[in-house]
Amino acid sequence: MSGTYLGMPAFPEAAHDAVRNPTLRRNLRHATHTIRDKRARAVAELEDWAGLRAAAKAIKDRTLRHLDHYLVRLEQAVTAAGGTVHWAADAAEANRIVTALVKATGESEVVKVKSMATQETGLNEALEAEGIRAYETDLAELIVQLGDDRPTHILVPAIHRNRGEIRDIFAERMGRWGRPAPDGLTDRPADLAEAARLHLREKFLRAKVGVSGANFMVAETGTLVVVESEGNGRMCLTLPETLISVVGIEKVVPTWRDLEVFLQVLPRSSTAERMNPYTSMWTGTTDGDGPRAFHLVLLDNGRSDTLADEVGRQALRCIRCSACLNVCPVYERAGGHAYGSVYPGPIGAILTPQLRGTGSGLDASLPYASSLCGACYEVCPVAIDIPEVLVHLRERVVQGGEATRNGVRVRLRPAKGHAAERAAMRAARWALDHPAALRAGQRLAARTRRLHPRRLPGPGRAWSDTRDLPEVPAESFRDWWQRTRGGEAR
Amino acid sequence: MRVALFVTCVNDALYPRTGVATVRLLERLGVTVEFPAAQSCCGQPAYNTGYRHETEPLVRRFDRAFRAYEYVVTPSGSCAAMVRDAYPRLGAKAAAEGRGTELAEAAARAAPRTYELTEFLVDVLGVTDVGAYFPHTVTYHPTCHGLRALGLGDRPRRLLAHVRGLELRELDGAEECCGFGGTFAVKNPDVSAAMGADKARAVEATGADAVCALDNSCLAHIGGTLARRGSRVRPVHLAEILAATEEEPYT
């Protein structure tokens, strides 16, 4: 189960199994409803939430418009503070850079702070292939790693697991990775946390290399920021001799004043806290304090291409709070694995097909993994109009169109497998644009209504498997109007 | 006052009762209703599935059919949202593609004059008591496009609160999508059915006689799921509740 998400089935097939797993459904429902209710209360406390949201959106948009400028400024500041900046065009290049940096230290183990960027590049697997073991230290990431599993949530990667399942994973697997779980481990949260603490302490004290991501990078001073709840991240950031941070290029903010806005909207949106317990900030290297060497790997991996798309670029405003996942009725039923990406839920449905393209069956299915209910847009702290981008990407899937891949403007052809749908849509357009023909069809349907099947064939079959069909009435509204009002108005 | 009724393709073909109820209700309130026969579908099924170019003729058709009217009233939050939100986007994209401003102009004419029924009643006519009588227990499902895209707020509830004989039952998780979502129900049948089943259970738990909403497509999904479960709860469009009176009761 571990490894990358490539080669997973398209969303509807993956969701098919998740929907039929009652434990998964119960775990997800409980967790998402609890956190969404808390988020709503935390946000309602602030009188100026709408203003904060607008400010967060505006800062991100302005930064993205001048991204080249702020990244150069960031590089200068990081370098001046004693760090080294590396530029990675894609996942493979990022992994090569990190692997080479670790090898140069002579170490074969690294400790990791939870990082979406390195999940995205599949860094752990790339390191493993070079004989380097990466230990996840975030509690939920630890559960996922020990369980030979994949994350299903941005903020709570093990949201699909309940306490009993976690106890079993700890008891069975911890010994293989280091210090075993204590005998007779119960599923009490405090006991589980203590088992993880003892297991991880060993890693923290031994590791010479730490690998992190970052929630934000402040261009003016070259400062990186990690926001977390457990303190494990801070251990990884301060104890090793070498720190390597892999960060998406969209995470830069110009100044500390801009950062102030995000440190308000992020915790409330993600964990429903007024302020998160640990906010770690580091700027280059300092003699006698923290890592001796600091490397920043700036990751593109499809972000520049996304930035080139006028509608789709708003996905780069995302601050990975996961509020959209917690409120999404589709995520709640399908679970995170169905999205086949490190970014699940509504944001994953618009971000992944832009970062990876819509070439695979899975990626082409993601823009359709939504009922367009709009709840994600409503809660998004940076006001990403996710439904708008979903429809935009659906158009790319079925009609093709202009897109940027690897910096080159290309004309995408429509994805395969939509020929019948396209023909139906064209026929429907013709009929709907010819009301006389439509009316003849309606009358025919009304006259033959007793003959209509109770079950539909083809793509409509799933509908009639679980729902009764509406009956065709004897008379359409149009005919009623003509019969009762005499003639047609205009 | 003279208004044009945009009945919507779903109501025309499958739920003519809703159109008839809307006409009766508006006429009872002193409004002259006209039905421009040139109207068709708003284009939402095609647009939301990604067929923007297939939708464009329907934007032009909507504009031609309704441009002579100051008010266009529709008993569908979803179709009203399509005209208000998506038409301007379609127009802007066509202009950006160098195909002129004709579509954007059509959208700019259509969007501001189109009202969902409860918006028209509360905001334009300024009424919340429409003189309706509906002696049943009812629960209300605020459909997503009415709730979020149009921001209807408490308008439907204020109208329901004045219906004589009606007892409103609160729906648990009311603001959650029922799972219809147009072609979503076909493309993701398992998730759609799971969402529908949860919504149907919540509706049944209210113990109400009827579930009402502002969109018959959502009601078809919820009602079809309820019927398959053998439930006695009936789906009723809000327009039909507001049209019912003691003299002409809902049947």
Side-chain angles (χ1 to χ4, degrees), chain A residues 401-433:
Chain A
E402 295 255 303
T404 306
R405 299 309 302 162
N406 302 318
V408 181
R409 202 80 184 139
V410 292
R411 177 127 206 117
L412 296 176
R413 281 204 303 242
K416 292 193 188 93
H418 290 80
E421 180 184 274
R422 194 173 305 116
M425 287 294 177
R426 285 197 182 138
R429 182 199 70 177
W430 185 87
L432 292 167
D433 205 21

Side-chain angles (χ1 to χ4, degrees), chain A residues 220-460:
Chain A
E220 65 176 349
T221 53
T223 302
L224 273 69
V225 185
V226 156
V227 172
E228 50 146 352
S229 299
E230 297 167 5
N232 295 347
R234 180 164 293 179
M235 304 278 267
C236 289
L237 296 165
T238 50
L239 288 173
E241 289 168 8
T242 301
L243 174 60
I244 305 166
S245 301
V246 184
V247 190
I249 52 174
E250 82 283 16
K251 299 239 167 172
V252 67
V253 295
T255 68
W256 282 70
R257 287 197 62 161
D258 300 316
L259 181 65
E260 176 247 5
V261 173
F262 295 104
L263 292 184
Q264 292 182 74
V265 296
L266 178 55
R268 282 183 201 261
S269 299
S270 56
T271 50
E273 290 166 306
R274 293 172 183 143
M275 192 178 175
N276 49 286
Y278 292 87
T279 302
S280 301
M281 301 180 175
W282 64 105
T283 311
T285 55
T286 309
D287 283 340
D289 181 23
R292 298 292 95 77
F294 168 59
H295 296 273
L296 171 60
V297 182
L298 290 170
L299 178 71
D300 188 316
N301 205 33
R303 286 161 175 78
S304 296
D305 292 342
T306 305
L307 189 60
D309 188 293
E310 280 180 29
V311 177
R313 69 171 59 138
Q314 56 186 306
L316 296 178
R317 291 205 297 259
C318 177
I319 55 172
R320 314 283 189 257
C321 71
S322 72
C324 64
L325 278 64
N326 298 327
V327 81
C328 178
V330 176
Y331 175 86
E332 183 187 323
R333 272 88 187 178
H337 285 150
Y339 294 82
S341 155
V342 60
Y343 307 107
I347 186 63
I350 62 167
L351 192 56
T352 304
Q354 295 199 84
L355 295 180
R356 296 201 301 220
T358 45
S360 75
L362 167 62
D363 291 331
S365 74
L366 288 178
Y368 293 95
S370 167
S371 65
L372 302 179
C373 82
C376 50
Y377 179 28
E378 192 175 56
V379 298
C380 178
V382 286
I384 302 170
D385 192 339
I386 294 176
E388 182 191 14
V389 183
L390 286 167
V391 171
H392 175 72
L393 294 174
R394 289 175 184 191
E395 183 186 324
R396 182 174 293 175
V397 170
V398 298
Q399 296 199 329
E402 295 255 303
T404 306
R405 299 309 302 162
N406 302 318
V408 181
R409 202 80 184 139
V410 292
R411 177 127 206 117
L412 296 176
R413 281 204 303 242
K416 292 193 188 93
H418 290 80
E421 180 184 274
R422 194 173 305 116
M425 287 294 177
R426 285 197 182 138
R429 182 199 70 177
W430 185 87
L432 292 167
D433 205 21
H434 292 79
L438 184 65
R439 192 167 175 185
Q442 279 176 3
R443 282 184 178 156
L444 180 67
R447 240 176 265 133
T448 57
R449 67 201 185 104
R450 299 282 165 236
L451 307 173
H452 292 185
R454 304 296 300 155
R455 297 284 163 104
L456 289 173

Side-chain angles (χ1 to χ4, degrees), chain A residues 76-89:
Chain A
Q76 288 165 349
V78 169
T79 309
T84 310
V85 175
H86 310 260
W87 299 80

